[in-house]
Amino acid sequence: MRLVKLAAVVAGVALVGLAAAAFLVWSGAKTSTVGELEFANRLAIPPLAEPRIDGDGRKVFDLELRAGETEILPGTTTETWGANGARLAPTLRASRRDEVMPRVANGLGEETTTIHWHGMHLPAAADGGPHQTIAPGETWSPTWTIDQPAATLWYHPHPHPETEDQVYRGLVGMFILDDPEAEALALPDDYGVDDIPLILQDKKFEDDGSLDFSKGPISPTGLLGDEILVNGTHDPHLEVTTERVRLRLLNASGARVYNIGFADDREFDLIATDGGLLEAPRAMDRIQLSAGERAEIVAEFEPGERVVLRSFEPDLGTNFWDGRFAGGDDSFDLLQIRAAGELAPAPEIPKRLATQEPLAESKAAQVRRFELSGQGSIDGRSLELTRIDEVVEVGTTEVWEVSNASGTPHNFHPHDVRFRVLEYAGGPPPAHLEGLKDTVYIPPNETVRVVTEFSDYTDPELPYMFHCHVLQHEDRGMMGQYTVVER
Ligand code: C2O
Ligand code: CU
Ligand code: CU
């Protein structure tokens, strides 16, 4: 009897101990830099690449991928990857109907990579997914004609299963598309002056400045950094000189979700999402972006003021336990905006921005269902590069219904196409998901229905990918392959 009691007491103490340890881990998993930055560094603006025009009239962008060293934290050096420089990659820019040819030279030493044009409508052979590997020393020169509306796209490595690490090293850039209708609008469009790219990446640093690749003890979504770099700049500020400024926000992190707004809760206009301009601007005070998503916002400033762009605690739709370990309780000061004493006037944002291509559910030839399960599979299967999971007929419209069957945050991104959200977690799409998208957050235990059209580019063999853009999940196989074939 005494022994039983003793055992019960010991077990009780052990349980209390475990709970206490769990509580400690949970408490320690919250991160915030709000109020802690000095905004000491001028925000770097990735240079605009200058293409040359080749004999066939193509815009050729030379991109040399290389590793290098950058002083990110004062007095230390960090080994980073970039294109045409040590960190990040230049901003590429092209217009609808331009024929482009990036020439991607792999100067990374030992590492094989790929470069994927995220959000781009293009032939599978040019897509830069895991099948278009670029061996060390090789150059890959895909070519295609831009045929989609003005939008903020981006490019990044996509070798399987190394994407999380390679993106984390900083080899990412924006790919801005223009079109004549968008150019005719009175929107801020002077790159680096009133049209500012903001590439958000979270990092962890060792004391000597090197990147820390370790994941937390409980990490449902992968590495979460406690420092946010904007365009590779730590502790940044931006000087603005106009009354209205367009910010092109890109979440280029592996797992972190940002819920972006201003510290004083001022409203801004959302003018574009992943796939391009909205039909009309939408006033809001927060915009949430999961990994891979973009948004363009226009904000107004008063002469001489300073205001902080912040990431507030995101709404992940998780329980309190999982949410904490997925960054759901984290907040960050991203960037201080300093307005000049005198600001150049800027016109009002137009009431109509774009006419969107009709993407009607009624035209859908079929519905495909996908279930994101665990942390590395879709419909219970992990990626096989030799298995084609879905075959789509060219010229068809389809509804894709994606469910998150786990307690973990996921999102969903198909290559090649833009989609419209039909239904989000049992209701109509919220305001920030009304426009064209190519990546969408899927809360735990919810379903998102989207409609899209597979308008051209057939290839019976080479697939496009669809996957969770939480890069650890993608690397673990939460990815599938689809081909587009002739009818
Ligand atoms: Cu940014 Cu396969 O994607
Ligand atoms: Cu993509
Ligand atoms: Cu996921």
Side-chain angles (χ1 to χ4, degrees), residues 2-278:
R2 283 189 58 185
L3 253 181
V4 173
K5 260 194 197 158
L6 185 65
V9 169
V10 168
V13 168
L15 259 183
V16 170
L18 262 181
F23 179 75
L24 266 181
V25 174
W26 185 85
S27 321
K30 176 173 169 148
T31 306
S32 177
T33 61
V34 169
E36 283 174 9
L37 298 194
E38 287 162 25
F39 310 108
N41 305 312
R42 195 188 184 112
L43 178 76
I45 302 289
L48 264 185
E50 296 210 3
R52 52 193 169 82
I53 308 296
D54 74 2
D56 296 318
R58 287 186 294 227
K59 278 191 177 163
V60 179
F61 295 94
D62 287 304
L63 293 173
E64 203 210 321
L65 314 184
R66 56 174 106 118
E69 296 206 318
T70 314
E71 182 174 347
I72 296 177
L73 303 179
T76 67
T77 51
T78 306
E79 196 187 297
T80 52
W81 286 11
N84 303 354
R87 78 174 142 181
L88 299 179
T91 298
L92 309 187
R93 195 155 193 165
S95 290
R96 195 161 195 165
R97 315 266 172 258
D98 279 350
E99 198 177 342
V100 297
M101 184 166 79
R103 296 189 74 247
V104 188
N106 180 354
L108 293 168
E110 305 285 282
E111 311 273 350
T112 293
T113 191
T114 81
I115 291 291
H116 165 62
W117 321 102
H118 180 130
M120 195 75 75
H121 176 48
L122 77 189
D127 184 55
H131 295 278
Q132 285 84 46
T133 50
I134 318 171
E138 262 186 19
T139 298
W140 177 61
S141 308
T143 179
W144 71 95
T145 299
I146 308 288
D147 188 18
Q148 66 192 88
T152 301
L153 311 186
W154 66 300
Y155 60 105
H156 63 80
H158 211 306
H160 190 68
E162 306 290 336
T163 299
E164 185 185 24
D165 278 6
Q166 294 201 0
V167 168
Y168 184 61
R169 292 173 195 269
L171 183 47
V172 302
M174 272 193 188
F175 202 140
I176 297 177
L177 300 185
D178 302 305
D179 71 33
E181 296 85 54
E183 271 167 286
L185 295 168
L187 287 172
D189 64 356
D190 193 355
Y191 183 83
V193 177
D194 63 7
D195 182 353
I196 310 289
L198 296 177
I199 302 176
L200 306 177
Q201 285 202 302
D202 58 338
K203 308 274 180 228
K204 284 197 292 185
F205 294 95
E206 308 278 9
D207 289 341
D208 66 358
S210 58
L211 286 177
D212 179 350
F213 286 82
S214 66
K215 291 154 195 163
I218 304 171
S219 73
T221 53
L223 189 146
L224 290 176
D226 53 6
E227 301 276 4
I228 312 298
L229 304 187
V230 185
N231 300 344
T233 313
H234 176 249
D235 200 14
H237 70 262
L238 168 72
E239 280 159 29
V240 300
T241 54
T242 56
E243 282 172 353
R244 286 195 174 79
V245 177
R246 174 194 210 153
L247 302 174
R248 296 181 190 254
L249 303 163
L250 158 61
N251 181 351
S253 302
R256 194 172 278 296
V257 177
Y258 301 93
N259 185 20
I260 300 165
F262 289 95
D264 62 2
D265 293 327
R266 75 181 58 190
E267 286 200 330
F268 51 79
D269 279 311
L270 177 71
I271 60 165
T273 50
D274 305 335
L277 292 167
L278 306 183

Side-chain angles (χ1 to χ4, degrees), residues 409-411 468 470 473 478:
H410 296 300
N411 68 9
C468 175
V470 172
H473 296 171
M478 189 175 275

Side-chain angles (χ1 to χ4, degrees), residues 116 118 154 156 158 292 413 415 439 465 467 469 471 474 479:
H116 165 62
H118 180 130
W154 66 300
H156 63 80
H158 211 306
H413 165 58
H415 287 199
T439 307
M465 319 305 287
H467 57 90
H469 217 289
L471 299 180
E474 174 186 333
M479 177 150 63

